[in-house]
Amino acid sequence: MLDLLIRRLRMSSAAPRGCTNGRRCYSGRYRNGKAVYFYNESDNRRIYCGRFWFRRKNQSPPHGRTVETVSGCFADNRRIGKWHFSKKSHGHRQKLVAEYASGGRNGAYRYTAVCWLHSLGVTPGLTSMRMTMADNHPAGSIECRIGKEKITGGYDGDGRPDGVWMMDSTKTETYKTFHEKWEHGVCVESYSYDDSTGERIAVRSQLPDIVTSMIMGECRPLESIIKRGLPDTDA
């Protein structure tokens, strides 16, 4: 009981600018886990307003015990400000920090994952991604690391790949760099360069697809641990 009271006080005092806690506070079971959140009532509906915290534990093969946590803030049922999502299981940890505004993803979007087991079906080692979202799509520059490989590139104002993209794989056994030139969603040049031989070969463009796959396959499931307030659903 004391721990719960302390958590409530922390949630109330740590609310970001523009995040006002509702008149009521709920604490208890929520979507097979536990949650603490603030809300107001209107027409027999709960309008989420203020800080939100959620934690869930479950057992699922092959990861075994999995712990998921979510924390952030709502304003009139919409996510605002910085939200933290994490998922931990045996040999695999994921974390996403995303900013929301105006009913959608707007602001920093940072993802990190660490895997130290080869049997989980994911890339062993460290994976990270740093980018910015605007109106729910990527905007500006991006940096992505997958193990020993590093991807850099950028997007135009409509979320389309634009400019020079490159993947540095010189620290792997391939000793190659991959270069792509994009013009507002159209790839006009794509080739690999072998640093050990100086050979340049035309290849199929793939770098924006790798980033999209990471967003959709790893980041979005973390955001959907709790679907309420997502820009593409009212659940």
Side-chain angles (χ1 to χ4, degrees):
M1 188 68 176
L2 179 60
D3 289 342
L4 180 57
L5 177 60
I6 292 174
R7 182 177 297 126
R8 286 179 177 175
L9 292 175
R10 286 178 176 175
M11 290 174 71
S12 179
S13 62
R17 181 180 301 177
C19 179
T20 302
N21 287 331
R23 294 181 179 181
R24 297 177 178 272
C25 180
Y26 172 84
S27 60
R29 295 179 61 84
Y30 188 88
R31 298 186 182 275
N32 298 322
K34 296 181 180 180
V36 180
Y37 64 84
F38 293 85
Y39 67 97
N40 293 319
E41 288 186 337
S42 177
D43 297 328
N44 296 320
R45 294 175 58 243
R46 290 189 178 185
I47 308 300
Y48 287 45
C49 295
R51 297 292 295 173
F52 177 94
W53 174 88
F54 172 79
R55 191 168 191 258
R56 177 170 60 200
K57 300 178 183 179
N58 55 54
Q59 294 281 343
S60 60
H63 304 285
R65 182 172 179 265
T66 299
V67 179
E68 299 169 311
T69 59
V70 177
S71 64
C73 189
F74 283 102
D76 194 22
N77 271 341
R78 291 182 173 183
R79 298 182 184 186
I80 65 167
K82 187 178 293 184
W83 279 67
H84 297 260
F85 309 86
S86 69
K87 184 175 182 179
K88 299 179 181 180
S89 59
H90 179 61
H92 192 209
R93 295 182 180 179
Q94 299 170 274
K95 181 179 180 180
L96 173 67
V97 179
E99 292 183 351
Y100 300 82
S102 302
R105 301 173 185 88
N106 284 279
Y109 204 78
R110 309 283 187 261
Y111 173 73
T112 57
V114 180
C115 178
W116 53 91
L117 294 178
H118 290 261
S119 59
L120 297 179
V122 294
T123 303
L126 174 66
T127 298
S128 67
M129 181 174 62
R130 300 174 60 87
M131 63 190 306
T132 300
M133 289 283 187
D135 295 329
N136 295 318
H137 58 63
S141 62
I142 179 174
E143 179 180 302
C144 180
R145 295 178 181 270
I146 305 173
K148 296 180 180 180
E149 297 178 304
K150 177 181 177 181
I151 298 175
T152 56
Y155 297 88
D156 65 12
D158 294 320
R160 298 172 298 188
D162 195 42
V164 176
W165 283 65
M166 186 176 75
M167 181 166 69
D168 184 350
S169 301
T170 56
K171 295 182 180 180
T172 69
E173 295 180 356
T174 64
Y175 300 105
K176 293 180 180 180
T177 55
F178 296 83
H179 301 260
E180 298 178 5
K181 184 177 180 181
W182 290 79
E183 294 182 358
H184 303 293
V186 178
C187 184
V188 297
E189 185 178 33
S190 179
Y191 65 91
S192 67
Y193 179 81
D194 192 321
D195 280 21
S196 63
T197 64
E199 184 178 21
R200 172 172 163 164
I201 302 176
V203 297
R204 182 180 64 86
S205 61
Q206 61 173 336
L207 302 186
D209 291 340
I210 294 175
V211 174
T212 299
S213 177
M214 184 179 298
I215 293 173
M216 301 305 296
E218 300 185 42
C219 298
R220 293 295 169 83
L222 290 177
E223 289 185 86
S224 296
I225 292 174
I226 295 297
K227 293 186 177 181
R228 177 174 290 275
L230 279 176
D232 49 3
T233 179
D234 293 325

